[in-house]
Amino acid sequence: VIDATSLGWGTRVKGFIACFAIGCLCSLLGSCLLWVPKKGLMLFAVFYTLGNIASIGSTLFLMGPMKQLKRMFEPTRLIATIVMLLCLILTLCSAFWWHKEGLALLFCILQFFALAWYSISFIPFAR
């Protein structure tokens, strides 16, 4: 079963590239939609968050889902992971349920810094 469901290295790299490209495209689209009158900030928050989720999801192709989850919740990066996931969730909540544009923008900014902190946590001695 494991051999039948595992992906070859070439397929993993292609999946990573495709998912990462979709993430970058969503983030770029969100930046372009920022200038749409009235709903631009909400669209930016949603597409920027979806882009970050897709970019993080792209690493699942390289490491595999279980190894990725184990590494995300290691004690050395547990706080960075929780803050990053919380910022992603709070951005979407402020856009969809609370309808607070300023809060959505704040959470997008925090999301950027949380994602940077999370990414740096994978570099040895960078913490």
Side-chain angles (χ1 to χ4, degrees):
V1 172
I2 292 173
D3 290 337
T5 58
S6 64
L7 300 174
W9 182 249
T11 307
R12 286 176 183 259
V13 171
K14 289 174 189 172
F16 167 78
I17 291 170
C19 202
F20 189 76
I22 290 169
C24 290
L25 183 67
C26 282
S27 295
L28 183 65
L29 181 63
S31 297
C32 293
L33 292 173
L34 182 60
W35 309 111
V36 171
K38 295 189 180 183
K39 293 291 182 182
L41 193 56
M42 291 297 177
L43 292 171
F44 165 72
V46 170
F47 278 98
Y48 183 74
T49 302
L50 292 176
N52 283 339
I53 291 170
S55 295
I56 292 168
S58 68
T59 59
L60 294 173
F61 285 99
L62 295 179
M63 286 193 260
M66 292 310 296
K67 187 174 181 183
Q68 172 74 12
L69 287 174
K70 286 178 186 175
R71 291 196 67 199
M72 283 176 73
F73 292 100
E74 287 176 350
T76 55
R77 68 181 58 90
L78 180 64
I79 295 172
T81 300
I82 291 171
V83 169
M84 181 208 42
L85 293 174
L86 191 62
C87 286
L88 292 170
I89 292 167
L90 289 174
T91 303
L92 292 175
C93 286
S94 62
F96 286 124
W97 290 284
W98 304 330
H99 302 289
K100 303 284 185 182
E101 293 179 354
L103 202 56
L105 182 61
L106 175 67
F107 285 131
C108 281
I109 293 167
L110 292 174
Q111 189 181 130
F112 173 79
F113 288 115
L115 191 60
W117 180 27
Y118 169 76
S119 299
I120 288 171
S121 75
F122 280 93
I123 300 170
F125 305 110
R127 303 182 279 290

